[in-house]
Coordinates of all heavy atoms in Angstrom, one line a residue:
R18 N 0.9 -1.2 0.0 CA 0.0 0.0 0.0 C 0.9 1.2 0.0 O 1.9 1.3 0.6 CB -0.9 0.0 1.2 CG -1.9 -1.1 1.2 CD -3.1 -0.8 2.0 NE -4.1 -1.9 1.8 CZ -5.1 -1.8 0.9 NH1 -5.2 -0.7 0.2 NH2 -5.9 -2.8 0.8
F19 N 0.4 2.2 -0.7 CA 1.1 3.5 -0.8 C 0.3 4.6 -0.2 O -0.8 4.8 -0.5 CB 1.4 3.8 -2.3 CG 2.2 2.8 -3.0 CD1 1.6 1.8 -3.7 CD2 3.6 2.8 -2.9 CE1 2.4 0.8 -4.3 CE2 4.4 1.9 -3.6 CZ 3.8 0.8 -4.2
L20 N 0.9 5.5 0.6 CA 0.3 6.6 1.2 C 0.1 7.6 0.1 O 1.0 7.8 -0.7 CB 1.1 7.2 2.3 CG 1.3 6.3 3.5 CD1 2.2 7.1 4.5 CD2 0.0 5.9 4.2
A21 N -1.1 8.2 0.0 CA -1.3 9.2 -1.1 C -2.5 10.1 -0.6 O -3.2 9.8 0.3 CB -1.7 8.5 -2.4
K22 N -2.6 11.2 -1.3 CA -3.6 12.2 -0.9 C -4.5 12.5 -2.2 O -4.0 12.8 -3.2 CB -3.1 13.5 -0.4 CG -2.5 13.4 1.0 CD -2.2 14.7 1.5 CE -1.7 14.6 2.9 NZ -1.5 15.8 3.6
S23 N -5.8 12.4 -2.0 CA -6.8 12.7 -3.0 C -8.1 12.7 -2.4 O -8.4 11.9 -1.5 CB -6.7 11.8 -4.2 OG -7.5 12.1 -5.2
I24 N -9.1 13.4 -3.0 CA -10.5 13.3 -2.6 C -11.0 12.0 -3.4 O -10.7 11.9 -4.6 CB -11.3 14.6 -3.0 CG1 -10.7 15.8 -2.2 CG2 -12.8 14.3 -2.8 CD1 -10.9 15.7 -0.7
V25 N -11.8 11.3 -2.7 CA -12.4 10.0 -3.3 C -13.9 10.2 -3.3 O -14.5 10.5 -2.2 CB -12.0 8.8 -2.5 CG1 -12.6 7.5 -3.1 CG2 -10.5 8.6 -2.5
R26 N -14.6 9.9 -4.4 CA -16.0 9.9 -4.5 C -16.4 8.4 -4.6 O -15.8 7.7 -5.4 CB -16.5 10.7 -5.7 CG -16.4 12.2 -5.5 CD -16.8 12.9 -6.7 NE -18.1 12.5 -7.3 CZ -19.2 13.0 -7.1 NH1 -19.3 14.1 -6.4 NH2 -20.3 12.5 -7.6
V27 N -17.3 8.0 -3.8 CA -17.8 6.6 -3.9 C -19.3 6.6 -4.1 O -20.1 7.2 -3.4 CB -17.5 5.9 -2.5 CG1 -18.0 4.5 -2.5 CG2 -16.1 6.0 -2.1
E28 N -19.7 6.1 -5.3 CA -21.1 6.0 -5.7 C -21.6 4.7 -5.1 O -21.1 3.6 -5.4 CB -21.2 6.0 -7.2 CG -20.7 7.4 -7.8 CD -20.6 7.3 -9.3 OE1 -21.0 6.3 -10.0 OE2 -20.2 8.4 -9.8
H29 N -22.7 4.9 -4.4 CA -23.3 3.8 -3.7 C -24.8 3.7 -4.0 O -25.3 4.7 -4.5 CB -23.2 4.2 -2.1 CG -23.5 3.1 -1.2 ND1 -24.8 3.0 -0.7 CD2 -22.9 2.1 -0.6 CE1 -24.9 2.0 0.1 NE2 -23.7 1.4 0.2
D30 N -25.5 2.7 -3.8 CA -26.9 2.6 -4.1 C -27.7 3.7 -3.4 O -28.8 4.1 -3.8 CB -27.5 1.2 -3.6 CG -27.1 0.1 -4.5 OD1 -26.6 0.4 -5.7 OD2 -27.2 -1.1 -4.1
H31 N -27.2 4.2 -2.2 CA -27.9 5.2 -1.4 C -27.4 6.6 -1.7 O -27.6 7.5 -0.9 CB -27.8 4.8 0.0 CG -28.3 3.5 0.3 ND1 -29.6 3.1 0.2 CD2 -27.7 2.3 0.7 CE1 -29.8 1.8 0.5 NE2 -28.6 1.3 0.8
G32 N -26.6 6.8 -2.8 CA -26.1 8.2 -3.1 C -24.6 8.2 -3.2 O -24.0 7.1 -3.4
V33 N -24.1 9.4 -3.2 CA -22.6 9.5 -3.3 C -22.0 9.9 -2.0 O -22.5 10.8 -1.3 CB -22.3 10.7 -4.4 CG1 -20.8 10.8 -4.5 CG2 -22.9 10.3 -5.7
M34 N -20.9 9.2 -1.7 CA -20.2 9.4 -0.4 C -18.9 10.0 -0.9 O -18.4 9.8 -2.0 CB -19.9 8.2 0.3 CG -21.1 7.3 0.6 SD -20.6 5.8 1.5 CE -20.3 4.7 0.2
S35 N -18.2 10.8 0.0 CA -16.9 11.3 -0.3 C -16.0 11.1 0.9 O -16.5 10.9 2.0 CB -16.9 12.8 -0.7 OG -17.4 13.5 0.4
G36 N -14.7 11.1 0.6 CA -13.7 10.9 1.7 C -12.3 11.3 1.2 O -12.1 11.6 0.1
Q37 N -11.4 11.2 2.1 CA -10.0 11.5 1.9 C -9.3 10.2 1.7 O -9.3 9.4 2.6 CB -9.4 12.4 3.0 CG -8.0 12.7 2.8 CD -7.7 13.6 1.7 OE1 -8.4 14.6 1.4 NE2 -6.7 13.3 0.9
L38 N -8.5 10.0 0.6 CA -7.7 8.8 0.5 C -6.6 8.8 1.5 O -6.0 9.8 1.8 CB -7.0 8.9 -0.9 CG -6.2 7.7 -1.3 CD1 -7.1 6.4 -1.5 CD2 -5.5 8.0 -2.6
V39 N -6.4 7.6 2.1 CA -5.4 7.4 3.1 C -4.2 6.6 2.4 O -3.1 7.0 2.5 CB -5.9 6.6 4.3 CG1 -4.8 6.2 5.2 CG2 -7.0 7.4 5.0
N40 N -4.6 5.5 1.8 CA -3.6 4.7 1.0 C -4.3 3.9 -0.1 O -5.5 3.8 -0.2 CB -2.8 3.8 1.9 CG -3.7 2.7 2.6 OD1 -4.4 2.0 2.0 ND2 -3.6 2.6 3.9
I41 N -3.4 3.5 -1.1 CA -3.9 2.8 -2.3 C -3.0 1.8 -2.7 O -1.8 1.9 -2.4 CB -4.2 3.8 -3.4 CG1 -4.9 3.2 -4.6 CG2 -2.9 4.5 -3.8 CD1 -5.4 4.2 -5.6
S42 N -3.5 0.7 -3.3 CA -2.7 -0.4 -3.8 C -3.3 -0.8 -5.1 O -4.3 -0.3 -5.5 CB -2.6 -1.6 -2.8 OG -3.8 -2.3 -2.8
L43 N -2.7 -1.8 -5.7 CA -3.2 -2.4 -7.0 C -4.6 -3.0 -6.7 O -5.4 -3.1 -7.7 CB -2.3 -3.4 -7.5 CG -0.9 -3.0 -7.9 CD1 0.0 -4.2 -8.3 CD2 -0.9 -1.9 -9.0
H44 N -4.9 -3.4 -5.5 CA -6.1 -4.2 -5.2 C -7.2 -3.4 -4.5 O -8.3 -4.0 -4.3 CB -5.7 -5.5 -4.5 CG -4.9 -6.4 -5.3 ND1 -5.4 -7.2 -6.3 CD2 -3.6 -6.6 -5.3 CE1 -4.4 -7.9 -6.9 NE2 -3.2 -7.5 -6.3
G45 N -6.8 -2.2 -4.0 CA -7.9 -1.5 -3.2 C -7.3 -0.3 -2.6 O -6.2 0.2 -2.9
L46 N -8.1 0.3 -1.7 CA -7.7 1.5 -1.0 C -8.4 1.7 0.3 O -9.3 0.9 0.6 CB -8.0 2.7 -1.9 CG -9.5 2.9 -2.4 CD1 -10.4 3.5 -1.4 CD2 -9.5 3.7 -3.7
C47 N -7.9 2.6 1.1 CA -8.5 3.0 2.4 C -8.8 4.5 2.3 O -8.0 5.3 1.9 CB -7.5 2.7 3.5 SG -8.0 3.3 5.1
I48 N -10.0 4.8 2.7 CA -10.4 6.2 2.8 C -10.9 6.6 4.2 O -11.4 5.7 4.9 CB -11.5 6.6 1.8 CG1 -12.8 5.9 2.0 CG2 -11.0 6.4 0.4 CD1 -14.0 6.4 1.1
E49 N -10.7 7.8 4.5 CA -11.2 8.4 5.8 C -12.5 9.1 5.4 O -12.5 9.9 4.5 CB -10.2 9.4 6.4 CG -10.6 9.9 7.7 CD -9.5 10.8 8.3 OE1 -8.5 11.1 7.6 OE2 -9.7 11.3 9.4
T50 N -13.6 8.6 6.1 CA -14.9 9.2 5.7 C -15.9 9.0 6.9 O -15.8 8.1 7.6 CB -15.5 8.5 4.4 OG1 -16.7 9.1 4.1 CG2 -15.7 7.0 4.7
A51 N -16.8 9.9 6.9 CA -17.9 9.8 7.9 C -19.2 9.1 7.3 O -20.2 8.9 7.9 CB -18.3 11.2 8.4
A52 N -19.1 8.8 6.0 CA -20.2 8.2 5.3 C -20.5 6.8 5.8 O -19.6 6.1 6.4 CB -19.8 8.1 3.8
K53 N -21.7 6.4 5.6 CA -22.2 5.1 6.1 C -22.3 4.1 5.0 O -22.8 4.4 3.9 CB -23.6 5.3 6.7 CG -23.7 6.3 7.9 CD -22.9 5.7 9.1 CE -23.1 6.7 10.2 NZ -21.9 6.9 11.0
A54 N -21.8 2.9 5.2 CA -21.9 1.8 4.3 C -21.8 0.5 5.1 O -21.7 0.6 6.3 CB -20.7 1.9 3.3
R55 N -22.0 -0.6 4.4 CA -22.0 -1.9 5.1 C -21.0 -2.7 4.4 O -20.7 -2.6 3.2 CB -23.3 -2.5 5.1 CG -24.4 -1.8 6.0 CD -25.6 -2.5 6.1 NE -26.3 -2.4 4.7 CZ -27.5 -3.0 4.5 NH1 -28.1 -3.7 5.4 NH2 -28.0 -2.8 3.3
I56 N -20.4 -3.6 5.1 CA -19.5 -4.6 4.5 C -20.2 -5.4 3.4 O -21.4 -5.7 3.6 CB -18.9 -5.5 5.6 CG1 -18.0 -4.7 6.6 CG2 -18.1 -6.7 5.0 CD1 -17.5 -5.4 7.8
D57 N -19.5 -5.6 2.3 CA -19.9 -6.3 1.1 C -20.8 -5.4 0.2 O -21.3 -5.9 -0.8 CB -20.7 -7.6 1.5 CG -19.8 -8.7 2.0 OD1 -18.5 -8.7 1.7 OD2 -20.2 -9.5 2.8
D58 N -21.0 -4.1 0.6 CA -21.7 -3.2 -0.4 C -20.8 -3.1 -1.6 O -19.6 -3.0 -1.5 CB -21.9 -1.9 0.2 CG -23.1 -1.8 1.2 OD1 -23.8 -2.8 1.4 OD2 -23.2 -0.7 1.8
H59 N -21.5 -3.0 -2.8 CA -20.8 -2.8 -4.1 C -20.9 -1.3 -4.4 O -22.0 -0.7 -4.3 CB -21.5 -3.7 -5.2 CG -21.3 -5.1 -4.9 ND1 -20.1 -5.7 -5.3 CD2 -22.0 -6.0 -4.4 CE1 -20.1 -7.0 -5.0 NE2 -21.3 -7.2 -4.4
V60 N -19.8 -0.8 -4.8 CA -19.7 0.7 -5.0 C -18.9 1.0 -6.3 O -18.2 0.0 -6.8 CB -19.1 1.4 -3.8 CG1 -19.9 1.2 -2.5 CG2 -17.6 1.0 -3.6
V61 N -18.9 2.2 -6.8 CA -18.0 2.7 -7.8 C -17.1 3.8 -7.3 O -17.6 4.7 -6.7 CB -18.8 3.2 -9.1 CG1 -17.8 3.7 -10.1 CG2 -19.6 2.0 -9.7
V62 N -15.8 3.6 -7.4 CA -14.9 4.5 -6.8 C -14.4 5.5 -7.9 O -14.0 5.0 -9.0 CB -13.7 3.8 -6.2 CG1 -12.6 4.7 -5.6 CG2 -14.1 2.8 -5.1
R63 N -14.4 6.8 -7.6 CA -13.9 7.8 -8.6 C -12.8 8.6 -7.9 O -13.1 9.2 -6.8 CB -15.0 8.7 -9.0 CG -16.0 7.9 -9.8 CD -17.1 8.8 -10.5 NE -18.1 8.0 -11.1 CZ -18.0 7.5 -12.3 NH1 -16.9 7.7 -13.1 NH2 -19.0 6.8 -12.9
I64 N -11.6 8.6 -8.5 CA -10.5 9.4 -8.0 C -10.0 10.1 -9.2 O -9.7 9.6 -10.3 CB -9.3 8.5 -7.4 CG1 -9.9 7.6 -6.3 CG2 -8.2 9.3 -7.0 CD1 -8.9 6.6 -5.8
E65 N -9.8 11.5 -9.0 CA -9.3 12.3 -10.1 C -8.0 11.7 -10.7 O -7.1 11.3 -10.0 CB -9.0 13.7 -9.7 CG -8.7 14.7 -10.8 CD -8.5 16.1 -10.3 OE1 -9.1 16.5 -9.3 OE2 -7.9 16.8 -11.1
G66 N -7.9 11.6 -12.0 CA -6.7 11.1 -12.7 C -6.7 9.6 -12.9 O -5.8 9.0 -13.5
L67 N -7.7 8.9 -12.4 CA -7.8 7.4 -12.5 C -9.2 7.1 -13.1 O -10.1 7.7 -12.8 CB -7.6 6.7 -11.2 CG -6.2 6.7 -10.6 CD1 -6.3 6.1 -9.2 CD2 -5.3 5.9 -11.5
P68 N -9.3 6.0 -13.9 CA -10.6 5.6 -14.3 C -11.4 5.1 -13.1 O -10.9 4.6 -12.1 CB -10.3 4.4 -15.3 CG -8.8 4.1 -15.2 CD -8.2 5.2 -14.4
A69 N -12.7 5.2 -13.3 CA -13.7 4.7 -12.2 C -13.5 3.2 -12.1 O -13.2 2.5 -13.1 CB -15.1 5.0 -12.6
R70 N -13.6 2.7 -10.9 CA -13.4 1.3 -10.6 C -14.5 0.8 -9.7 O -14.9 1.4 -8.8 CB -12.1 1.0 -9.9 CG -10.9 1.4 -10.7 CD -9.7 0.8 -10.1 NE -9.2 -0.4 -10.7 CZ -8.8 -0.5 -12.0 NH1 -8.9 0.5 -12.8 NH2 -8.4 -1.6 -12.5
S71 N -15.0 -0.4 -10.1 CA -16.0 -1.1 -9.2 C -15.2 -1.7 -8.0 O -14.1 -2.2 -8.2 CB -16.7 -2.2 -10.0 OG -17.5 -1.7 -11.0
A72 N -15.9 -1.6 -6.9 CA -15.2 -2.2 -5.7 C -16.3 -2.7 -4.7 O -17.4 -2.4 -4.9 CB -14.4 -1.0 -5.0
T73 N -15.8 -3.3 -3.7 CA -16.6 -3.9 -2.6 C -16.0 -3.4 -1.3 O -14.8 -3.3 -1.0 CB -16.5 -5.4 -2.6 OG1 -17.0 -5.9 -3.9 CG2 -17.5 -6.0 -1.5
V74 N -17.0 -3.0 -0.4 CA -16.6 -2.5 1.0 C -16.1 -3.8 1.7 O -16.8 -4.8 1.9 CB -17.7 -1.9 1.7 CG1 -17.3 -1.5 3.2 CG2 -18.2 -0.6 1.0
R75 N -14.9 -3.8 2.2 CA -14.3 -5.0 2.9 C -14.3 -4.8 4.4 O -14.4 -5.8 5.2 CB -12.9 -5.3 2.4 CG -12.9 -5.9 1.1 CD -13.5 -7.3 1.2 NE -13.5 -7.9 -0.1 CZ -14.6 -8.5 -0.7 NH1 -15.7 -8.6 0.0 NH2 -14.5 -9.0 -1.9
W76 N -14.0 -3.6 4.9 CA -14.0 -3.3 6.4 C -14.4 -1.9 6.6 O -14.3 -1.0 5.8 CB -12.7 -3.7 7.0 CG -11.5 -3.0 6.4 CD1 -10.6 -3.4 5.4 CD2 -11.0 -1.7 6.8 NE1 -9.7 -2.4 5.2 CE2 -9.9 -1.4 6.0 CE3 -11.4 -0.8 7.8 CZ2 -9.1 -0.2 6.2 CZ3 -10.7 0.4 7.9 CH2 -9.5 0.7 7.1
L77 N -14.8 -1.6 7.9 CA -15.3 -0.3 8.4 C -14.8 -0.2 9.8 O -14.8 -1.1 10.6 CB -16.8 -0.2 8.4 CG -17.5 -0.4 7.0 CD1 -18.9 -0.7 7.3 CD2 -17.3 0.8 6.2
G78 N -14.4 1.0 10.2 CA -14.0 1.3 11.5 C -13.3 2.6 11.8 O -12.5 3.0 11.0
H79 N -13.6 3.2 12.9 CA -13.0 4.5 13.3 C -12.9 5.5 12.2 O -11.9 6.1 12.0 CB -11.6 4.2 13.8 CG -11.6 3.2 14.9 ND1 -12.1 3.4 16.2 CD2 -11.1 1.9 14.9 CE1 -12.0 2.4 16.9 NE2 -11.4 1.4 16.2
G80 N -14.0 5.7 11.5 CA -14.1 6.7 10.4 C -13.3 6.4 9.2 O -13.0 7.2 8.4
M81 N -13.0 5.1 9.0 CA -12.3 4.6 7.9 C -13.1 3.6 7.1 O -13.9 2.9 7.7 CB -11.0 4.1 8.3 CG -10.1 4.9 9.2 SD -9.3 6.2 8.2 CE -7.7 5.7 8.3
M82 N -12.8 3.4 5.8 CA -13.5 2.4 5.0 C -12.4 1.7 4.1 O -11.6 2.4 3.5 CB -14.5 3.0 4.2 CG -15.3 2.1 3.3 SD -16.6 3.0 2.3 CE -17.5 3.9 3.5
G83 N -12.4 0.4 4.1 CA -11.5 -0.3 3.2 C -12.3 -0.9 2.0 O -13.3 -1.5 2.2
L84 N -11.8 -0.6 0.8 CA -12.5 -1.0 -0.4 C -11.5 -2.0 -1.2 O -10.3 -1.7 -1.3 CB -12.8 0.2 -1.2 CG -13.7 1.2 -0.6 CD1 -13.9 2.4 -1.5 CD2 -15.1 0.6 -0.3
H85 N -12.1 -3.0 -1.8 CA -11.3 -3.9 -2.6 C -11.8 -3.8 -4.0 O -13.0 -4.0 -4.3 CB -11.5 -5.4 -2.1 CG -10.7 -6.4 -2.8 ND1 -11.2 -7.1 -3.9 CD2 -9.4 -6.8 -2.7 CE1 -10.3 -7.9 -4.4 NE2 -9.2 -7.7 -3.7
F86 N -10.9 -3.5 -5.0 CA -11.3 -3.4 -6.4 C -11.7 -4.7 -7.0 O -11.1 -5.8 -6.7 CB -10.1 -2.9 -7.3 CG -9.6 -1.5 -6.9 CD1 -8.3 -1.2 -6.8 CD2 -10.5 -0.5 -6.6 CE1 -7.8 0.0 -6.5 CE2 -10.1 0.8 -6.2 CZ -8.7 1.0 -6.2
E87 N -12.8 -4.7 -7.8 CA -13.2 -6.0 -8.5 C -12.1 -6.4 -9.5 O -11.9 -7.6 -9.7 CB -14.5 -5.8 -9.2 CG -15.6 -5.7 -8.1 CD -17.0 -5.5 -8.7 OE1 -17.2 -5.7 -9.9 OE2 -17.9 -5.2 -8.0
M88 N -11.5 -5.5 -10.1 CA -10.4 -5.7 -11.1 C -9.2 -4.9 -10.6 O -9.3 -3.7 -10.5 CB -10.8 -5.3 -12.5 CG -11.9 -6.1 -13.1 SD -11.4 -7.9 -13.5 CE -10.2 -7.6 -14.7
P89 N -8.0 -5.6 -10.4 CA -6.8 -4.8 -9.9 C -6.4 -3.8 -10.9 O -6.6 -3.9 -12.1 CB -5.8 -5.9 -9.7 CG -6.4 -7.2 -9.9 CD -7.8 -7.0 -10.5
M90 N -5.8 -2.7 -10.4 CA -5.2 -1.7 -11.3 C -3.9 -2.3 -11.9 O -3.3 -3.2 -11.3 CB -4.8 -0.5 -10.4 CG -5.9 0.3 -9.9 SD -5.4 1.7 -8.9 CE -4.6 2.7 -10.1
S91 N -3.5 -1.7 -13.0 CA -2.2 -2.1 -13.5 C -1.1 -1.4 -12.8 O -1.3 -0.2 -12.3 CB -2.1 -1.8 -15.0 OG -1.9 -0.4 -15.2
F92 N 0.1 -2.0 -12.7 CA 1.2 -1.3 -11.9 C 1.6 0.0 -12.6 O 1.8 1.0 -11.9 CB 2.4 -2.3 -11.8 CG 3.5 -1.7 -11.1 CD1 3.5 -1.6 -9.7 CD2 4.6 -1.1 -11.7 CE1 4.5 -1.0 -8.9 CE2 5.6 -0.5 -11.0 CZ 5.6 -0.5 -9.6
S93 N 1.6 0.0 -13.9 CA 2.0 1.2 -14.6 C 1.0 2.4 -14.4 O 1.4 3.5 -14.2 CB 2.2 1.0 -16.1 OG 1.0 0.5 -16.7
D94 N -0.3 2.1 -14.3 CA -1.3 3.1 -14.1 C -1.1 3.7 -12.7 O -1.2 4.9 -12.4 CB -2.7 2.6 -14.2 CG -3.1 2.4 -15.7 OD1 -2.4 2.9 -16.6 OD2 -4.1 1.7 -15.9
L95 N -1.0 2.8 -11.7 CA -0.8 3.2 -10.3 C 0.5 4.0 -10.1 O 0.5 5.1 -9.5 CB -0.8 2.0 -9.3 CG -0.6 2.4 -7.9 CD1 -1.7 3.3 -7.4 CD2 -0.6 1.1 -7.1
A96 N 1.6 3.5 -10.7 CA 2.9 4.2 -10.6 C 2.8 5.7 -11.2 O 3.3 6.6 -10.6 CB 4.0 3.5 -11.3
R97 N 2.2 5.8 -12.3 CA 2.0 7.1 -13.0 C 1.2 8.0 -12.1 O 1.5 9.2 -11.9 CB 1.4 6.9 -14.4 CG 1.5 8.1 -15.3 CD 1.1 7.7 -16.8 NE 0.2 6.6 -17.0 CZ 0.6 5.4 -17.4 NH1 1.8 5.2 -17.7 NH2 -0.3 4.5 -17.6
W98 N 0.1 7.5 -11.6 CA -0.7 8.3 -10.7 C 0.0 8.8 -9.5 O -0.1 9.9 -9.0 CB -2.0 7.6 -10.4 CG -3.0 8.4 -9.7 CD1 -3.9 9.2 -10.2 CD2 -3.2 8.4 -8.3 NE1 -4.7 9.8 -9.2 CE2 -4.2 9.3 -8.0 CE3 -2.6 7.8 -7.2 CZ2 -4.7 9.6 -6.7 CZ3 -3.0 8.1 -5.9 CH2 -4.0 9.0 -5.7
L99 N 0.7 7.9 -8.9 CA 1.4 8.1 -7.6 C 2.5 9.2 -7.8 O 2.8 9.9 -6.8 CB 2.1 6.9 -7.0 CG 1.1 5.9 -6.4 CD1 1.9 4.5 -6.1 CD2 0.6 6.4 -5.1
E100 N 3.1 9.4 -8.9 CA 4.1 10.4 -9.2 C 3.5 11.8 -8.8 O 4.2 12.7 -8.3 CB 4.5 10.5 -10.6 CG 5.4 9.3 -11.0 CD 5.8 9.3 -12.5 OE1 5.4 10.2 -13.2 OE2 6.4 8.3 -12.9
K101 N 2.2 12.0 -9.0 CA 1.6 13.3 -8.7 C 0.8 13.4 -7.4 O 0.5 14.4 -6.9 CB 0.6 13.7 -9.8 CG 1.3 13.8 -11.2 CD 0.4 14.1 -12.3 CE 1.1 14.2 -13.6 NZ 0.3 13.8 -14.7
H102 N 0.5 12.2 -6.8 CA -0.4 12.2 -5.6 C 0.2 11.5 -4.4 O -0.4 11.5 -3.4 CB -1.7 11.5 -6.0 CG -2.4 12.2 -7.0 ND1 -2.3 12.0 -8.4 CD2 -3.4 13.2 -7.0 CE1 -3.1 12.7 -9.1 NE2 -3.8 13.5 -8.2
Q103 N 1.5 11.1 -4.5 CA 2.0 10.4 -3.3 C 2.3 11.4 -2.2 O 2.8 12.5 -2.4 CB 3.3 9.6 -3.6 CG 3.6 8.5 -2.6 CD 4.4 7.5 -3.1 OE1 5.1 7.6 -4.1 NE2 4.4 6.3 -2.4
D104 N 2.0 11.0 -1.0 CA 2.2 11.8 0.2 C 3.7 12.1 0.4 O 4.5 11.4 0.2 CB 1.7 11.0 1.4 CG 1.0 11.9 2.4 OD1 0.9 13.1 2.1 OD2 0.6 11.4 3.5

């Protein structure tokens, strides 16, 4: 996982949630958010500079949410994005 900063929009059946990216990997991410969701909810994640990705909520706790991408990112896409957004 790589520490990075960006605003994250999460489209959910119950509307759009937003949060601050904490870390990201090829397989998922962690965001800080006050939004409500449930484990196993299916969402669409939008981060500026990256294509939208389908994901599943894997864990929740202490104002944080862990999401797992349905299809992993490519290493080259993540590396290129991190050049501009890494903490």
Side-chain angles (χ1 to χ4, degrees):
R18 296 206 171 266
F19 299 93
L20 298 177
K22 286 193 176 184
S23 183
I24 298 297
V25 179
R26 290 176 44 101
V27 179
E28 297 172 3
H29 187 273
D30 287 343
H31 304 292
V33 178
M34 305 178 275
S35 63
Q37 177 67 44
L38 182 68
V39 175
N40 63 53
I41 189 167
S42 74
L43 298 175
H44 297 279
L46 55 82
C47 172
I48 62 172
E49 185 174 5
T50 183
K53 302 291 184 218
R55 290 185 290 180
I56 293 173
D57 293 332
D58 282 354
H59 294 280
V60 299
V61 175
V62 178
R63 297 188 184 276
I64 301 171
E65 186 176 339
L67 289 172
R70 297 196 98 60
S71 295
T73 303
V74 177
R75 286 293 180 227
W76 59 266
L77 301 162
H79 304 292
M81 308 282 250
M82 181 183 304
L84 302 173
H85 184 266
F86 298 139
E87 289 181 14
M88 294 290 295
M90 293 178 65
S91 74
F92 182 78
S93 60
D94 286 346
L95 180 58
R97 194 171 23 258
W98 186 84
L99 283 170
E100 286 178 4
K101 296 178 181 149
H102 296 89
Q103 198 159 19
D104 219 2

